[in-house]
Amino acid sequence: MMILVAGPYRSGTGDDPARIQANVDAMTDTALALFRAGHLPVLGEWYALPLVERAGSTGIGDAVFDEIFHPIARRLVAKCDGVLRIGGRSAGADDMVATARAHGKRVFHALDEIPSAA
């Protein structure tokens, strides 16, 4: 299955780059586990951040960032088989879960909930 990993990005970080990176690392670690289980993991950040930079964003939460960051993840969810929600509070990750449900996609809350790819 192609599964979007949805977790906090900015939430609880105060926009501190090291704390944001820790959130991305947690999502990436989960993506690696999904890959090793035979699935195709994706993160919205993998798609959005290069485009945000190319489009000229000057900082997290500016108009260019907001134009691309969550909208691209919503489009990605529509193409996925499901969403794996990880981590703590996050309006954005909760939005990805709601988007998945609106598209009739599966929502998981732990790796062990995901069927084997075998």
Side-chain angles (χ1 to χ4, degrees), residues 73-75 77-78 83 94-105:
R74 287 185 202 105
R75 291 180 193 180
V77 167
V83 169
D94 291 342
D95 182 29
M96 296 311 113
V97 167
T99 301
R101 288 189 172 128
H103 285 278
K105 309 294 180 168

Side-chain angles (χ1 to χ4, degrees), residues 2 11-13 18 31 35 38 45 48 54 57 62 77 79 84 87 89 91 93 98 105-106 108 113:
M2 187 163 91
S11 297
T13 68
F35 175 78
E45 289 78 2
R54 177 62 72 187
S57 174
D62 69 9
V77 167
K79 304 291 185 187
L84 173 57
R89 299 171 101 184
K105 309 294 180 168
R106 297 176 75 176
F108 306 100
E113 294 177 2

Side-chain angles (χ1 to χ4, degrees), residues 43-105:
L43 271 66
E45 289 78 2
W46 294 346
Y47 289 81
L49 293 175
L51 295 179
V52 165
E53 181 180 345
R54 177 62 72 187
S57 174
T58 58
I60 293 172
D62 69 9
V64 173
F65 182 94
D66 289 344
E67 171 196 6
I68 296 169
F69 191 76
H70 285 130
I72 204 164
R74 287 185 202 105
R75 291 180 193 180
L76 187 55
V77 167
K79 304 291 185 187
C80 290
D81 299 299
V83 169
L84 173 57
R85 174 65 164 91
I86 68 162
R89 299 171 101 184
S90 170
D94 291 342
D95 182 29
M96 296 311 113
V97 167
T99 301
R101 288 189 172 128
H103 285 278
K105 309 294 180 168

